[in-house]
Amino acid sequence: LSKDVADAMTKRAADGEVVEAPQLAAQPEPAKDVPVPQAPEEPAPPPEGSLAHVILYGSPNDVKIKAQEWAELCTKDLYNALLVVLDLILALSGLPGAVTEKDLEVEPHHLVIKLPDWVKDQNLDPTIYPLLPSIPKSRRSVANLEKFIAFGIAEQSGAALLDTHMIASLTAWLLVLPSAAIRSVRHVSTVVALSVAEALGHHFQSLSRTHETLARQLASHRELGTLIQRQEQVLKRDVVSSSNHAKEMNRARNQLLETIIPLRSRDVSEVIRVYTLGQLDRLMKMDPEMYMQNKWTARVFLMLHDPHVEVRLKALSVMTQWYALDKKKSAAVKEQLAKFGRSALPHLLERVADVDPRVAASAVRCLKQHTLTEMLKEEEFDNVANMVIGSRDVVVREEAALFINAHVFQDPGICAKEKPKTRRGDKDGGRGDVEDDTLPAADPVRDLHNSETAISMLVEYIENYMDGKLRIIERLVGAFWPRSPALSHWSTIMNLCLVGEGTRVGMEPITSKQRLYLLYILEAAVRRAEDEARNARPSEKDETATRMNEACMQIIPEMPRLMDICRPEEEQFLLLMHVCKILVEYAVQSSQSQVLVNSKVLCQGLRKAIEDVSPMETMKNSADSLLALAKCFEEAKNTFLDLSKQVHLACSKILEDPKVKDRMEELRSVMSRFLVLANRGIDTSFGSMALIQRMLRLLRDRVTFMQEKRKRATAEEVKDEQTTPASATPRTPATPRTPATPRRDEDGQPRKRRRQETPQAPDVRLTLQLLEAVVLSVMWHVRTSYWVQSQSTSEEGLRAAESQVSELLQGFSELDALRAELPRMMSEVRSCCCELVDSDMSPYVQFHAYSAYMTLVQLCVGVSETLSLEVDEKGRPAPPSGWGATYEVKIPKSHMEVIYRYLNHLFVKVTEADVEGITFNGEGHRVEPTSIYPAPSQNMMTSVRHLTLRTMQTPGTGPEVSGLVKPLSASDELLLAVLASRSILESELQDIYTGPLGLLLLTQCEKARPKPLREVAMSLLRRLREHSKMSEEYGEHFYAMQQEAIEGLFRCAGPEAALSLSLAFTKLWGIKASPWLERPLYVVLREAILSCVTPDRSRLPLLDAYVPWIKTNDFVRESRCKEIADELVRQVTAIGCDENNAHIGRMLRKLQHL
């Protein structure tokens, strides 16, 4: 078998695919165009009726019969009996017929030496054999082989085995075969050798008992004097003989163990290592004296550091069984294991942090054993317990929860007891002290008491271990969830939350902290139950639905009462509102509205939650709950509409006030409610253009203020540069003066600052709110107008649509006026966004304005078939000018320049920032929690939304002046750069993704750029490549954009960066070009190469960047390359340059020797 084929089959077998070597020797050479048959998935079965066939496919009874036949053969013909075993070993190794009678006449190592050559001559593949774990039913085959050896040796007496030299002959071969170079031979012979050792152990124990019995008889008769001399001599001879037989049997067994186990536990094959470890465990259980010898326990200990996962798992499993409750172990064995455990404990703690979560979970399970837990120091114990929240893997957290349940909580813990497994021990992490086989009958009173105790213990654990880590209590709840039914006893949790708040006398209320812990538990449990109900398998839907229905029935009726209790506490109220949102939405969607009793009281509570000064997350959850109720109850619908009108009027009243700048804090509070309602389900502006204009006026005040601030900062920098001595070191852009450094007098004392007046413009928080409110209102107006326009196909549909819109506007505006003013308003909002991007000094405001602008442009493209949202030079709606009488979306040149500068600024910031070690991907952006924020959600919080909300809700007055607004970290700056780039990538407007912005993004493909940013840029290049399939014009544009990006980078960063970017581009092209791209590449490449030849010769180094573009004839034909080379020579000659120039020479050699 060739090496390539053997390597391929080995890889397929390692991947779990079952293959068999083709019998090449028996096949003629295949003719041309005749496919070679594929290797079968399993090895060819041995002849039916043979011993190997019985081992592979027979029942235990069949195996026992064959073993008896072999035992009988041993007594008659030792030579043939030995040959049968050796032939069986090699047949199960995939090498049938490898041993003959002649091989028994020489030393065993001769066969081991000749096997590789024999396999090569027979064209066999020994990598696929019947006992390979990836082969179906291989475990049964291994068990049958072990039974055959055990039955066959057990059928014979120990003395006969020794007297016939069967043990000596068999041992001689089994000491050599496990060292063979062929893995299958090592594996099968190891199975046989350790099975023989186990069988010899049973014979040794039998012979030892016989010797002890004879010795006691001899001693007893001597005391009684009942033996005659001849009988005493016979008995003495039997005692000596039995002693010698036992010693010889033990010597043969120990010889096998001491030779096989150390070598095979270090075998290159993990399959052999795992099997050896398992057999060692069985042997130690059979002979407890092996526990007293460090050479065997240390062998298991060394396997903890094995490079293969399965071996480490097996080692941990063996050690777990050592320290499990076992009455059969003697006191001496337990003491020896405890002594060994002290030295192994640091290594077990290392495995808790294993890279494989299964190994880490197994290590925690091992440390859960009482003997090892008592050895842990307090810090080590806490580290293991903290894995319940510190690990990222669910299996590790669940095992750590069982550790806590066993050693932190009082008996019986909070996990339900499970029936102990009758076979293979307790592998599911249940408590090892369960002795009864039947679970107790259900008792409601006892269950209630147990659930209250369980929740109380969990609260106590949180108080002692997680007081500063409440935001990740969901991990704790998730770890206990599968095994702790108390977490879904909703009535118990609600009763504990309301302890002391009722009319019952004598009950002290729980503390505020305890109620907070309970609400954290309740919120995490409800969220987990809802997630399971939404994603349940068909067989689990009824169970999960019942659990959620019970939650609705037990929690929602008590919600108004809990609202009154939790309202003063911000964290408690936020958690409670999230629970309310989840349950109400589920109840409405699942037709469980019958549980929503007293809707009027609940609606009043939700309205009050929105009207109070609360975090935006609390108001959002309350609004979602109210909207869900509105689907079932008219009361909720009227409440939501009245609340929206109240917020609109309050906002209008403040904005109409001439002294609005003195009421900024009041306006910020109202704008929070405005945004929540507008984001959840209604146009809070009610179509009022005047309201939007007043918001825009405040935003322009912000623009003016920031422009003046920039001018003052620039003037101060110029003044500082003029007063700087000539000898002073000039300040570079990379080291700007820190504005926070106070100026000092000549004596070194800080100057007294003038009292700064409050700026007469919105701060960063209110600016973000106003900007979002304006964009949301305009989007609502566009949606309304588009919907009415889409219904204009019939007069009846148009009248119905206009009637519904008029009802939604509530008399605050008219539909006709709204539609007439919409294009002008869209233009003003986009202009205001650009002004904020260009002038504002807050990165939060800049990105929010940029994102708003790109969103509005995308919206304009989406409705361009029906609505015109552009204005002409006179401010009137632009007429249709696009293909098919559609309305063309345009970006003014001034806007494009502003966005280009901002995007370039983001890329420069990422370049200067230290982005090493910053990792974020599609799974999420990790942030440090502050108290309860980011607030718990149902996977609906995005990274950029978290940054925006964090800034909007910054406490205090004048956050920009006081420095309360957190500056962007390097990770946040990279995040904004990636998100801004994605808005270019995903835009549907060609002027954006194929214009200057797309060109700027393509420069980020260079390998020195941060990986997340580079991936977005490469995605844009792939998108352009897909477009190039449409026509040659698109193909030319595909290459032209790459050319412009390379030249732009050449002008800014030099030839090396341009070459790196070019290599990144060509890497994406692949190794074979598409036929339709050959001519576009030629056109662009010709122009690019010739444009490098200029009279000043400054662009000649750029030729090196285009050398990688010339790959093979598939990309540019040889004839076209010669044309480019001839034209290049003519131009070079025209400017008087030498063709031997390094850059020109490289290009010509590439063109002429393609």
Side-chain angles (χ1 to χ4, degrees):
L1 193 65
S2 68
K3 183 178 183 301
D4 294 338
V5 176
D7 292 344
M9 288 187 172
T10 303
K11 183 179 183 304
R12 291 170 63 190
D15 294 340
E17 184 178 355
V18 181
V19 295
E20 181 184 351
Q23 302 295 327
L24 299 182
Q27 297 288 342
E29 184 177 356
K32 191 175 181 180
D33 299 331
V34 176
V36 179
Q38 297 294 326
E41 296 184 353
E42 295 185 21
E48 189 173 353
S50 63
L51 178 58
H53 188 275
V54 172
I55 295 296
L56 296 178
Y57 306 106
S59 64
N61 190 49
D62 297 333
V63 174
K64 188 174 183 179
I65 293 173
K66 285 290 184 181
Q68 292 172 346
E69 294 176 358
W70 179 75
E72 186 178 353
L73 181 63
C74 289
T75 60
K76 297 178 179 179
D77 190 347
L78 177 63
Y79 187 83
N80 284 330
L82 182 60
L83 182 62
V84 167
V85 174
L86 296 179
D87 184 66
L88 175 64
I89 292 174
L90 294 175
L92 295 178
S93 303
L95 311 177
V99 62
T100 62
E101 295 181 358
K102 293 182 179 180
D103 295 317
L104 297 183
E105 299 174 358
V106 295
E107 293 296 326
H109 67 271
H110 291 289
L111 175 63
V112 173
I113 293 173
K114 79 168 189 177
L115 273 179
D117 294 333
W118 184 87
V119 169
K120 186 176 181 181
D121 294 338
Q122 298 295 321
N123 287 323
L124 297 177
D125 179 16
T127 60
I128 307 300
Y129 56 100
L131 300 193
L132 191 68
S134 58
I135 300 294
K137 301 181 179 180
S138 61
R139 293 180 62 181
R140 188 187 69 174
S141 301
V142 172
N144 283 344
L145 179 58
E146 293 171 345
K147 291 174 184 176
F148 173 79
I149 298 297
F151 290 150
I153 295 181
E155 287 290 326
Q156 308 173 61
S157 67
L161 287 171
L162 294 171
D163 293 340
T164 59
H165 303 288
M166 178 63 187
I167 296 300
S169 302
L170 187 58
T171 301
W173 282 91
L174 293 180
L175 291 175
V176 176
L177 285 177
S179 301
I182 301 174
R183 183 186 67 174
S184 60
V185 177
R186 293 200 311 274
H187 184 194
V188 179
S189 58
T190 299
V191 173
V192 173
L194 295 180
S195 299
V196 169
E198 184 177 2
L200 295 183
H202 290 296
H203 274 299
F204 167 69
Q205 293 176 353
S206 177
L207 290 172
S208 298
R209 289 193 296 268
T210 302
H211 169 69
E212 292 172 0
T213 301
L214 292 174
R216 284 196 300 268
Q217 290 179 0
L218 178 61
S220 176
H221 286 299
R222 278 180 175 177
E223 292 178 2
L224 297 176
T226 57
L227 284 177
I228 62 176
Q229 184 176 2
R230 187 170 59 84
Q231 291 176 336
E232 183 178 0
Q233 291 178 353
V234 172
L235 196 55
K236 284 182 179 180
R237 186 173 63 251
D238 291 342
V239 170
V240 172
S241 176
S242 61
S243 175
N244 292 335
H245 285 158
K247 290 180 181 179
E248 190 175 352
M249 188 69 70
N250 190 41
R251 183 192 60 78
R253 171 180 174 270
N254 288 338
Q255 186 180 15
L256 281 173
L257 295 181
E258 293 174 0
T259 303
I260 301 299
I261 290 179
L263 293 177
R264 292 314 106 216
S265 61
R266 299 193 302 269
D267 197 278
V268 294
S269 171
E270 70 280 358
V271 174
I272 299 177
R273 297 201 301 273
V274 169
Y275 181 81
T276 303
L277 193 54
Q279 285 300 106
L280 176 59
D281 181 41
R282 288 176 56 178
L283 291 167
M284 294 176 75
K285 288 179 180 178
M286 184 187 73
D287 183 9
E289 290 300 321
M290 294 180 68
Y291 289 112
M292 308 299 293
Q293 303 176 31
N294 285 333
K295 62 182 177 181
W296 304 123
T297 53
R299 180 58 52 192
V300 178
F301 163 74
L302 292 174
M303 307 294 267
L304 289 175
H305 304 279
D306 193 274
H308 199 273
V309 174
E310 296 298 331
V311 181
R312 299 200 301 275
L313 282 172
K314 188 64 178 178
L316 287 168
S317 176
V318 170
M319 294 188 69
T320 302
Q321 295 176 19
W322 286 357
Y323 297 100
L325 293 178
D326 187 358
K327 297 179 181 180
K328 296 180 181 180
K329 290 189 178 74
S330 64
V333 169
K334 292 181 179 179
E335 183 180 354
Q336 176 66 18
L337 288 177
K339 182 180 178 181
F340 175 77
R342 293 187 186 92
S343 60
L345 196 61
H347 302 274
L348 289 173
L349 290 169
E350 286 182 9
R351 291 306 99 209
V352 173
D354 196 277
V355 293
D356 191 281
R358 295 176 298 163
V359 177
S362 186
V364 175
R365 188 183 306 118
C366 183
L367 291 170
K368 189 184 68 174
Q369 307 307 317
H370 185 72
T371 304
L372 294 175
T373 306
E374 288 184 338
M375 301 177 188
L376 293 173
K377 299 177 182 177
E378 184 176 354
E379 182 181 357
E380 296 171 342
F381 182 92
D382 291 345
N383 289 338
V384 177
N386 286 335
M387 293 299 288
V388 74
I389 58 174
S391 176
R392 296 183 182 179
D393 300 293
V394 176
V395 291
V396 181
R397 295 202 295 267
E398 291 182 356
E399 202 59 50
L402 293 172
F403 178 89
I404 294 170
N405 186 71
H407 301 291
V408 177
F409 296 153
Q410 296 178 359
D411 215 22
I414 72 172
C415 296
K417 293 185 177 181
E418 300 179 4
K419 287 185 179 182
K421 294 181 182 286
T422 57
R423 296 182 63 187
R424 301 186 182 273
D426 187 8
K427 287 190 175 182
D428 60 346
R431 294 176 58 84
D433 54 355
V434 179
E435 297 180 358
D436 51 343
D437 293 339
T438 59
L439 295 177
D443 184 351
V445 176
R446 185 188 60 214
D447 292 345
L448 176 62
H449 178 266
N450 289 342
S451 62
E452 288 181 351
T453 305
I455 298 299
S456 300
M457 286 193 295
L458 196 60
V459 169
E460 185 178 356
Y461 175 83
I462 294 172
E463 189 173 5
N464 294 332
Y465 288 88
M466 295 183 61
D467 191 31
K469 307 170 186 176
L470 300 181
R471 186 58 183 82
I472 52 177
I473 282 181
E474 60 186 19
R475 291 189 176 184
L476 178 70
V477 173
F480 280 104
W481 180 263
R483 295 181 176 86
S484 180
L487 291 173
S488 58
H489 289 176
W490 313 112
S491 59
T492 302
I493 301 177
M494 295 302 293
N495 291 336
L496 290 174
C497 288
L498 296 171
V499 166
E501 300 295 340
T503 57
R504 295 179 60 182
V505 181
M507 295 191 65
E508 296 183 1
I510 61 175
T511 64
S512 178
K513 270 194 172 184
Q514 289 174 334
R515 182 176 289 111
L516 178 62
Y517 301 152
L518 284 170
L519 288 173
Y520 266 109
I521 294 172
L522 178 63
E523 189 274 337
V526 169
R527 183 148 44 95
R528 175 67 178 262
E530 191 273 338
D531 181 70
E532 287 186 350
R534 187 174 62 250
N535 303 313
R537 300 174 182 175
S539 60
E540 300 173 350
K541 282 188 176 181
D542 292 341
E543 179 184 356
T544 56
T546 301
R547 186 185 298 124
M548 279 301 295
N549 292 341
E550 290 177 356
C552 295
M553 294 175 63
Q554 298 292 339
I555 299 175
I556 293 179
E558 299 289 346
M559 195 60 66
R561 188 178 173 193
L562 265 178
M563 287 182 186
D564 295 335
I565 297 172
C566 301
R567 198 180 306 277
E569 301 292 337
E570 177 182 317
E571 289 186 57
Q572 293 184 21
F573 201 52
L574 174 55
L575 292 169
L576 185 64
M577 287 298 96
H578 193 219
V579 172
C580 182
K581 168 189 179 299
I582 294 173
L583 294 180
V584 170
E585 288 182 344
Y586 176 83
V588 172
Q589 294 172 2
S590 304
S591 301
Q592 295 294 324
S593 57
Q594 65 271 11
V595 302
L596 304 178
V597 296
N598 204 348
S599 61
K600 182 177 181 180
V601 177
L602 186 57
C603 290
Q604 290 175 352
L606 293 173
R607 176 169 184 167
K608 189 175 181 182
I610 299 174
E611 290 176 337
D612 290 345
V613 179
S614 304
M616 293 183 68
E617 287 88 347
T618 304
M619 291 189 286
K620 181 195 73 172
N621 292 330
S622 304
D624 287 341
S625 303
L626 201 55
L627 279 174
L629 287 172
K631 298 177 181 179
C632 299
F633 300 99
E634 192 68 23
E635 176 74 24
K637 181 179 178 181
N638 294 334
T639 300
F640 190 84
L641 190 58
D642 292 343
L643 179 61
S644 301
K645 290 194 290 186
Q646 177 185 335
V647 171
H648 172 85
L649 292 173
C651 185
S652 299
K653 185 177 180 181
I654 298 175
L655 290 173
E656 289 172 359
D657 190 349
K659 298 182 180 180
V660 61
K661 295 180 180 179
D662 296 331
R663 303 176 64 182
M664 294 293 190
E665 287 299 316
E666 183 182 357
L667 177 61
R668 194 163 65 85
S669 177
V670 176
M671 288 304 301
S672 296
R673 293 191 286 275
F674 186 99
L675 289 179
V676 167
L677 297 176
N679 268 309
R680 306 327 292 172
I682 195 171
D683 177 16
T684 324
S685 70
F686 291 101
S688 175
M689 291 295 181
L691 181 65
I692 300 178
Q693 288 287 2
R694 297 186 187 101
M695 294 181 185
L696 287 174
R697 190 180 302 121
L698 285 179
L699 290 175
R700 290 199 174 93
D701 290 343
R702 168 83 179 188
V703 171
T704 303
F705 172 75
M706 282 296 168
Q707 289 174 345
E708 294 176 355
K709 190 174 181 180
R710 282 183 179 273
K711 289 181 181 179
R712 290 196 300 269
T714 304
E716 289 182 2
E717 288 184 1
V718 172
K719 185 177 180 180
D720 289 346
E721 290 177 0
Q722 291 175 351
T723 57
T724 301
S727 60
T729 303
R731 180 170 52 85
T732 63
T735 57
R737 177 175 58 82
T738 305
T741 304
R743 298 188 179 185
R744 300 180 180 272
D745 294 325
E746 295 179 358
D747 57 355
Q749 297 296 325
R751 294 181 184 177
K752 294 183 179 179
R753 295 192 179 208
R754 297 180 181 177
R755 184 172 58 87
Q756 296 184 359
E757 298 180 359
T758 303
Q760 296 298 306
D763 61 10
V764 62
R765 300 169 297 181
L766 184 55
T767 302
L768 292 173
Q769 291 178 330
L770 290 170
L771 180 58
E772 186 170 337
V774 168
V775 173
L776 281 174
S777 300
V778 171
M779 292 175 69
W780 272 109
H781 299 170
V782 173
R783 179 180 179 181
T784 301
S785 301
Y786 181 79
W787 181 69
V788 172
Q789 189 69 22
S790 64
Q791 301 297 316
S792 61
T793 54
S794 64
E795 292 186 4
E796 182 179 354
L798 180 60
R799 284 195 300 270
E802 291 177 347
S803 175
Q804 293 183 31
V805 170
S806 298
E807 182 181 357
L808 290 175
L809 296 179
Q810 293 290 311
F812 289 100
S813 61
E814 297 294 334
L815 177 60
D816 294 338
L818 174 67
R819 297 172 66 179
E821 289 292 321
L822 190 55
R824 183 182 60 80
M825 184 57 63
M826 176 66 77
S827 178
E828 288 189 21
V829 173
R830 286 170 56 184
S831 298
C832 184
C833 289
C834 274
E835 292 171 4
L836 287 170
V837 171
D838 190 38
S839 63
D840 210 285
M841 300 179 69
S842 168
Y844 299 99
V845 174
Q846 281 184 305
F847 183 80
H848 206 50
Y850 167 84
S851 179
Y853 187 93
M854 300 300 290
T855 301
L856 292 176
V857 168
Q858 194 78 348
L859 178 64
C860 293
V861 175
V863 301
S864 59
E865 294 183 1
T866 305
L867 290 181
S868 172
L869 297 179
E870 299 285 337
V871 294
D872 57 15
E873 297 177 355
K874 297 181 180 180
R876 295 174 301 184
S881 58
W883 182 82
T886 57
Y887 299 96
E888 189 175 359
V889 179
K890 300 179 180 179
I891 297 183
K893 182 180 178 181
S894 58
H895 293 187
M896 185 69 76
E897 291 175 351
V898 169
I899 297 175
Y900 186 93
R901 286 197 299 270
Y902 172 68
L903 196 63
N904 187 54
H905 171 72
L906 286 179
F907 294 159
V908 171
K909 290 280 287 182
V910 172
T911 303
E912 296 176 350
D914 182 14
V915 296
E916 287 294 328
I918 296 177
T919 57
F920 62 88
N921 49 36
E923 296 180 0
H925 180 207
R926 300 188 179 276
V927 297
E928 187 71 23
T930 304
S931 181
I932 197 174
Y933 302 101
S937 66
Q938 296 168 282
N939 298 323
M940 298 177 64
M941 176 66 72
T942 61
S943 302
V944 68
R945 188 61 182 170
H946 165 67
L947 294 177
T948 304
L949 287 177
R950 186 184 69 182
T951 309
M952 280 185 182
Q953 300 184 105
T954 302
T957 57
E960 290 171 295
V961 176
S962 61
L964 294 177
V965 175
K966 293 184 179 180
L968 290 175
S969 63
S971 178
D972 293 337
E973 289 177 348
L974 179 58
L975 173 66
L976 295 186
V978 170
L979 293 175
S981 302
R982 285 186 58 183
S983 66
I984 305 298
L985 166 66
E986 298 169 6
S987 176
E988 296 296 331
L989 187 61
Q990 196 169 5
D991 290 346
I992 290 181
Y993 71 88
T994 64
L997 300 180
L999 189 64
L1000 179 61
L1001 178 57
L1002 285 181
T1003 61
Q1004 306 306 303
C1005 291
E1006 199 261 329
K1007 66 178 181 180
R1009 307 301 294 158
K1011 183 179 179 181
L1013 189 59
R1014 190 169 68 248
E1015 289 176 349
V1016 178
M1018 296 301 288
S1019 297
L1020 176 60
L1021 189 61
R1022 294 187 189 95
R1023 181 183 181 185
L1024 295 174
R1025 181 180 174 85
E1026 288 297 316
H1027 288 184
S1028 68
K1029 298 177 182 179
M1030 299 179 183
S1031 65
E1032 285 192 359
E1033 182 181 355
Y1034 280 101
E1036 291 184 18
H1037 189 72
F1038 169 63
Y1039 290 114
M1041 285 194 67
Q1042 297 175 64
Q1043 176 199 353
E1044 293 179 25
I1046 292 172
E1047 293 190 358
L1049 198 60
F1050 172 76
R1051 291 191 295 269
C1052 300
E1056 292 183 0
L1059 176 59
S1060 178
L1061 180 61
S1062 178
L1063 291 172
F1065 288 158
T1066 55
K1067 185 178 180 180
L1068 183 68
W1069 295 358
I1071 59 176
K1072 187 175 182 180
S1074 302
W1076 60 85
L1077 291 177
E1078 193 271 337
R1079 185 181 180 281
L1081 176 58
Y1082 160 71
V1083 173
V1084 175
L1085 181 61
R1086 180 180 182 277
E1087 180 183 353
I1089 292 176
L1090 298 180
S1091 65
C1092 296
V1093 183
T1094 57
D1096 59 359
R1097 305 179 185 179
S1098 61
R1099 290 170 55 87
L1100 288 180
L1102 184 58
L1103 285 171
D1104 293 339
Y1106 295 115
V1107 170
W1109 286 36
I1110 310 169
K1111 303 181 76 171
T1112 62
N1113 285 325
D1114 292 334
F1115 289 87
V1116 183
R1117 292 200 299 267
E1118 185 177 357
S1119 59
R1120 297 186 188 273
C1121 290
K1122 291 181 179 179
E1123 293 177 9
I1124 297 175
D1126 294 341
E1127 185 67 24
L1128 177 61
V1129 171
R1130 285 195 293 270
Q1131 287 206 13
V1132 167
T1133 305
I1135 64 172
C1137 185
D1138 188 1
E1139 295 182 14
N1140 295 325
N1141 179 279
H1143 308 294
I1144 299 174
R1146 277 193 291 269
M1147 177 58 72
L1148 288 176
R1149 285 194 297 271
K1150 188 71 174 180
L1151 290 170
Q1152 295 172 353
H1153 299 88
L1154 180 59

